[in-house]
Amino acid sequence: MGPLPSPEPHLHEREVDILLDIVESTIVGALLGDGPSLPNLEALPEGLRTRTGVFVTLTVAGDLNGCIGTIEPEDPIGLSAPRFALSAAFADPRLPTLRPADLAELHIEISLLSALSPIEAGSREALLAALRPGLDGAVVSAGGRRGLFLPSDWEQIPDPHEFVDQLWRKAGFHPDAWPRGLTTHRFTTRKHARSPGKS
């Protein structure tokens, strides 16, 4: 099965509020034509200067409108989250660009990732046995291809067999294959969310 993921970063309530304020103001500013304004790193509280994997997911009236992020801890949370928010709002090639009219029904979700933990699985059955539905995100990669699902994807794909099938499709793997050199990892997330139009 492999080790369980290490805990995700824990932010204090004030730090969560500041992070959501930064992301919301970045999106709203871009929508209203004011242009994005990223915060000064030195002015951020300590929790927002830590580095971890981050994904920002935007929905409008319950429909996915953008999801962009990274599993690698690159920049501090306070800088990476607003950058990914802009990409999710305006540069996710799979989904429509956010419009000012969408603000009233906009829901922002920031997912802070744990470190990746390898899954010791040499077969589809072993992978299914190791994954914890509703808790684990998953990353599979082989031959330069990769597929990733966040833990929140279980909400749309609650059946473990279908979850793995869709993960294989996302990576571009043949549905019945176990690709040569396949690596499998899992992670967990801590989610922080806000609906600007309802606050």
Side-chain angles (χ1 to χ4, degrees):
M1 177 181 290
L4 295 180
S6 58
E8 320 84 10
H10 177 74
L11 301 181
H12 297 296
E13 185 176 351
R14 174 176 167 271
E15 292 172 332
V16 172
D17 287 340
I18 291 172
L19 180 61
L20 288 167
D21 285 345
I22 291 169
V23 168
E24 179 182 346
S25 64
T26 298
I27 293 172
V28 172
L31 278 173
L32 299 182
D34 298 334
S37 178
L38 295 177
N40 181 343
L41 181 60
E42 287 71 27
L44 292 173
E46 181 179 357
L48 300 190
R49 285 184 270 129
T50 60
R51 288 171 165 80
T52 189
V54 180
F55 274 79
V56 177
T57 304
L58 305 180
T59 57
V60 174
D63 294 328
L64 184 64
N65 203 89
C67 182
I68 299 289
T70 181
I71 58 176
E72 303 294 339
E74 297 174 349
D75 295 320
I77 295 169
L79 297 182
S80 60
R83 286 176 181 150
F84 290 134
L86 286 173
S87 295
F90 306 111
D92 189 331
R94 306 162 299 173
L95 296 160
T97 297
L98 196 69
R99 305 165 303 167
D102 295 327
L103 272 177
E105 298 293 335
L106 177 64
H107 182 73
I108 301 167
E109 185 174 279
I110 303 168
S111 298
L112 305 181
L113 278 62
S114 70
L116 294 183
S117 179
I119 300 175
E120 297 170 4
S123 68
R124 180 188 179 91
E125 291 71 24
L127 177 60
L128 284 165
L131 286 174
R132 299 173 297 169
L135 293 177
D136 289 332
V139 186
V140 294
S141 58
R145 298 180 176 182
R146 186 175 75 176
L148 179 150
F149 276 157
L150 295 172
S152 58
D153 286 309
W154 288 102
E155 297 169 13
Q156 283 73 48
I157 318 170
D159 177 76
H161 291 275
E162 182 65 18
F163 186 89
V164 172
D165 283 346
Q166 294 288 350
L167 185 59
W168 250 235
R169 291 190 188 100
K170 191 170 186 180
F173 299 153
H174 188 279
D176 298 321
W178 187 265
R180 182 187 300 273
L182 180 72
T183 60
T184 57
H185 292 80
R186 62 168 152 202
F187 60 92
T188 56
T189 59
R190 189 181 300 271
K191 296 190 296 186
H192 304 292
R194 176 181 290 176
S195 297
K198 296 176 174 61
S199 58

